Structures are given as C-alpha cells and as structure tokens.
Amino acid sequence: MSIDVAKLPSFSELPVRAGAPAGSAWGVFGDEDELGTWNLVTPEKTAAAAALVKKGSVFSLNLPLDAMPSRPLFWFRGNPRHTIFDCSGGARASYDEYLDGFCPQSSSQWDGHRHVAHPAFGFYNGFKHEDVIREGSTKLGIQNLANRGIATRGVLLDVGRFLEKDGRSLDLVGGATIDVATLEACRKAQGVEIEPGDLLLFRTGWLAWLLAQPEAKKVEMAEHLLAPGLLAGTEMAAYLWDNHIAAIATDTIAVESWPPEFANPERGFFHFQLIVYFGMNLGELWRLDALAEDCAADGVYEFMVTSAPLNITGGVGSPPNALALK
Ligand code: UVW
C-alpha cells in the first residue's frame, strides 16, 4: 500500500473505522493490512536512510540468544540449550547443531503483531482470536515482516545519558517511568528530529546494568520484576502516533515501564495501545550501548537501521537481527 504521510489522521482523529476502539488505527493502512506502522517505511524512506551511512561504522544491536539470566525474568522464556553434534558418523569432519527450548522472545526481540490481543477487541486491525491463533493460520505472523525486511532511518534518544548529564540519573531499579517531556527534552538536547517512518530507539542503560548484577539480584528480579520504560497513557500514545514512527525499540524488557498499571484506565497495559491499536511492533532488550557511545562522541543521533527477523511462519516474535549503520 502506498502511504501519503501528509494525509494520515492525527491521533485525535482516530479511529477512522466505525466501531473500532478509541485511539486505534484500524483501517488506516487498509482493512486487511497485517503490517501496521511498517507501512510508513516507503522505498523513498529506505533510500534516504541509506544516505545516512557515511563513516562505515556498523553496530550490531543484538544480544547473544542465551544472554539473559538463567532464571528467566518472565518465567515462560528461558535461554535455549545448544547442542552441537558430529554428523559425519564420528569422523569429526562435519558438525551440525540444534537449539532446544528456543523462545524467539527470550533475548533481544521484536514483539510481533501476534504477541498481544485485547481481551475484548482482539488483535491488530480487528482480527479475531479464532482467525489468528488457530492451526493453519499465519495471520499477523512475523513472516510478514521477515519477507518484507526492514531498512529505515533510526533515531536514538539516549535518555539514560541525557538524564545523567542533567544530574538526575534514571532510577534503573524501581520501574521508573519516562514521559513525553523527558523524551522531548532529550531529543532537543541531542538536536535530532523524529521523522515519519523512523525506527525510534531509546536507551536507558537498564540492560547493561541488569547483565552486570550478581546472581542473587537477578533471582530477586525474576521474583518481582521492575524495569524502567515509557509512561503509558494518552499523551505518550499521541506523541508516538503523531510523530508517525514505524516502530520503537529499547534496551528495557517491555518498552513500557514494568509492571504496567493494569487496573488504571488512563495507563493500563500499553502493549494494547501500541501493538493492537496502532499495529506497531516493539523492540525489547536491544543492545544499544556501543551505538550510544558513538552517537555521544560524534553528536550524530540518526543512522540507517536494518532488521531481518527470522522467517517463522505464523511466528509471534523474533530476534531482530538488527544493525545500525553510520
Ligand atoms: C510481555 O508482554 C510479558 O513481554 P514483552 O515485554 O516481551 O512484551
């Protein structure tokens, strides 16, 4: 579908489809659309992003698949077990391998369009549970993204570094919230614009902090997880939609501050707003520190970013296999 960004509805004009939930973008990209805000990455956008590659620096934004604590922070996502075996009949001439218990969302990941469904309204674009999660259905699967591929402009908001410089370090321990004013103050301090079709990255420093914690602290966190992230709510939803970003990714575990205020109608579980209502995928546990160091050093917070999710038919999520290129 070809998109004229100038004609996109603003957040206050959503929804455009009769009967769709308030604040949802259902129908904006077509009634059968399964790509959501990825539609904002046009060929022109990708070509312009390529022109941002000037120094030839490449940053891998992916953790190892088994990098997370051995006691999973979300109990249902353990590290995969890796087996290498001699497939040459014992001649030690050739080796293969397999992964057991591989959960594509246990380490750096995309939350794809199948990841969450609103209990009352279903999946993105109004697709019903029985159309999506059933044998033989690939509806909203990560293969859509894998087959398309991602190459667009990335913008980094280094919130952790910005707050530290400003003398008010982000609280990494207590589930701190990051509001629109903070994102905007950081953006302005960095002198960068957010443009339609961008992949917006924000760094907190939480992931590096987590991985450096002693085992006892990681176990404690698995029992009671608190992590920084976006302050959920209408103001943040309007900010992300009205900037017309294609996706958002971060070095925290849930993009939104964790745990969500499930029972608070103004806050709630922000995954519903972003994934279900906007059709916007969420990148979590991305390794952003080296990229952030480089941006701080050269003052350039825009770059090309690519991602090739695993082509899992009907997949819920995937490691991002993401690169930033400057
Ligand atoms: C959950 O929704 C539990 O996880 P994630 O933060 O990966 O979306």
Side-chain angles (χ1 to χ4, degrees):
M1 178 180 199
S2 108
I3 297 294
D4 182 348
V5 172
K7 292 197 177 131
L8 283 172
S10 66
F11 182 73
S12 62
E13 291 164 335
L14 296 177
V16 297
R17 183 195 291 169
S24 82
W26 296 2
V28 167
F29 303 112
D31 283 340
E32 294 305 317
D33 174 63
E34 299 183 37
L35 280 171
T37 42
W38 290 117
N39 284 290
L40 299 169
V41 182
T42 59
E44 297 74 27
K45 180 79 190 173
T46 299
L52 297 172
V53 184
K54 298 196 171 104
K55 312 194 280 194
S57 306
V58 182
F59 302 91
S60 166
L61 308 182
N62 317 284
L63 280 182
L65 287 177
D66 59 354
M68 290 303 277
S70 50
R71 175 96 172 262
L73 297 183
F74 287 129
W75 62 268
F76 40 87
R77 291 182 187 157
N79 287 324
R81 292 175 306 284
H82 186 198
T83 305
I84 299 183
F85 61 97
D86 182 336
C87 55
S88 60
R92 299 200 291 182
S94 172
Y95 294 90
D96 264 25
E97 64 192 332
Y98 54 85
L99 295 173
D100 276 313
F102 171 45
C103 172
Q105 286 171 268
S106 61
S107 181
S108 302
Q109 69 192 262
W110 279 120
D111 284 357
H113 290 108
R114 286 185 151 201
H115 177 49
V116 283
H118 188 282
F121 304 117
F123 287 88
Y124 166 64
N125 224 359
F127 291 114
K128 297 287 168 225
H129 206 271
E130 46 283 15
D131 296 329
V132 178
I133 307 298
R134 70 167 158 77
E135 186 97 28
S137 169
T138 61
K139 189 74 83 186
L140 297 176
I142 200 80
Q143 80 285 344
N144 289 325
L145 204 49
N147 288 325
R148 184 191 190 287
I150 298 161
T152 190
R153 177 176 180 262
V155 166
L156 175 70
L157 299 185
D158 191 349
V159 175
R161 191 177 255 96
F162 165 71
L163 289 177
E164 205 170 298
K165 250 171 108 178
D166 209 36
R168 30 183 194 133
S169 302
L170 188 66
D171 171 18
L172 299 176
V173 184
T177 54
I178 298 166
D179 59 13
V180 169
T182 304
L183 292 179
E184 271 298 278
C186 175
R187 183 190 68 71
K188 285 182 188 151
Q190 293 179 185
V192 68
E193 300 294 328
I194 300 171
E195 295 169 4
D198 283 352
L199 169 44
L200 181 63
L201 303 169
F202 72 97
R203 177 190 162 275
T204 63
W206 182 81
L207 185 56
W209 171 84
L210 167 78
L211 296 176
Q213 292 311 297
E215 189 56 25
K217 178 68 184 169
K218 291 176 183 163
V219 169
E220 186 192 306
M221 290 178 71
E223 277 157 17
H224 182 53
L225 182 61
L226 296 166
L230 298 183
L231 176 65
T234 309
E235 189 190 15
M236 184 62 72
Y239 178 74
L240 298 178
W241 178 263
D242 288 337
N243 272 300
H244 297 312
I245 59 169
I248 186 163
T250 178
D251 63 345
T252 71
I253 197 161
V255 172
E256 62 191 288
S257 163
W258 198 267
E261 291 184 50
F262 289 105
N264 178 344
E266 166 53 18
R267 306 255 171 259
F269 184 32
F270 206 42
H271 278 45
F272 289 152
Q273 177 66 61
L274 300 179
I275 300 178
V276 177
Y277 289 0
F278 290 165
M280 183 182 289
N281 290 165
L282 309 183
E284 295 161 342
L285 301 172
W286 285 32
R287 197 170 68 167
L288 301 177
D289 295 327
L291 172 66
E293 283 287 328
D294 188 82
C295 294
D298 69 7
V300 177
Y301 287 85
E302 59 172 0
F303 36 84
M304 182 177 199
V305 65
T306 65
S307 166
L310 296 182
N311 203 336
I312 307 171
T313 308
V316 169
S318 170
N321 300 315
L323 300 176
L325 301 100
K326 288 179 80 178

